Amino acid sequence: MVYLSRGACQSSIKYLLLFKLLWHFESIEAHSAAMLDLRNRILPSNFLSEFPGEAAFCFWLQHPEPSSRPTTR
């Protein structure tokens, strides 16, 4: 499980949920490794090829510059 800091944006949670809903993990170890990679905005290459639009949206939700992330406005 990835632990988010107190100041983590809601988009971080949406990013994790979207990824976990779409991706199948072969093992607990694979899940743990993927969650660690997500902290650095690294998605599995198969995810990028199978879900290119969703991957782009995940990257947008986790943009390094918070002002560049989507808002509800």
Side-chain angles (χ1 to χ4, degrees):
M1 173 169 233
V2 173
Y3 294 96
L4 302 171
S5 65
R6 276 189 187 179
C9 183
Q10 285 184 350
S11 64
S12 297
I13 295 166
K14 293 174 187 168
Y15 170 72
L16 290 172
L17 290 175
L18 177 62
F19 177 73
K20 289 178 85 170
L21 284 171
L22 295 173
W23 198 244
H24 171 72
F25 301 98
E26 297 294 328
S27 65
I28 298 287
E29 292 80 12
H31 177 269
S32 296
M35 293 298 107
L36 288 173
D37 284 345
L38 285 175
R39 297 176 103 178
N40 297 311
R41 298 181 71 225
I42 299 171
L43 292 170
S45 58
N46 292 349
F47 184 85
L48 294 169
S49 61
E50 290 182 39
F51 303 103
E54 290 82 354
F57 187 64
C58 284
F59 285 133
W60 186 29
L61 288 171
Q62 280 301 99
H63 195 281
E65 181 60 43
S67 63
S68 296
R69 295 176 188 158
T71 65
T72 57
R73 296 179 203 164

